[in-house]
Amino acid sequence: MPLDLAVANNALAGLRPYPVAVTTVDDGRTNGLMSLSGGSAGIVPEAPRATVSITKYNFTHDLILDGGIFVIHVLGGAPE
């Protein structure tokens, strides 16, 4: 069976990395950063998932580990 390129492109479109802002808070300390590695991690439309990479040498990484919470802010384009 030949590969349907339109279907493959649609499935892979959400997997490309894009910039996101990541914020967190722990014990009254807040921090955030910009990551260029945000992307789709789910393949089931009813259970969307996202992924982001944060280096362990970053202060935000430590706050996320200690506090156990973070928010990924997906950045939109400029309004028309």
Side-chain angles (χ1 to χ4, degrees):
M1 179 197 282
L3 176 64
D4 185 338
L5 294 179
V7 171
N9 186 47
N10 187 40
L12 297 174
L15 299 178
R16 296 183 181 113
Y18 50 85
V20 295
V22 179
T23 56
T24 187
V25 61
D26 177 49
D27 198 26
R29 300 175 298 169
T30 60
N31 204 289
L33 56 74
M34 294 298 299
S35 174
L36 299 177
S37 66
S40 175
I43 59 171
V44 179
E46 295 79 22
R49 296 180 183 197
T51 183
V52 64
S53 296
I54 301 172
T55 181
K56 64 181 179 178
Y57 304 111
N58 192 292
F59 178 62
T60 302
H61 174 274
D62 296 340
L63 290 182
I64 291 171
L65 281 182
D66 294 341
I69 188 170
F70 67 95
V71 177
I72 298 174
H73 306 269
V74 179
L75 308 175
E80 292 183 22

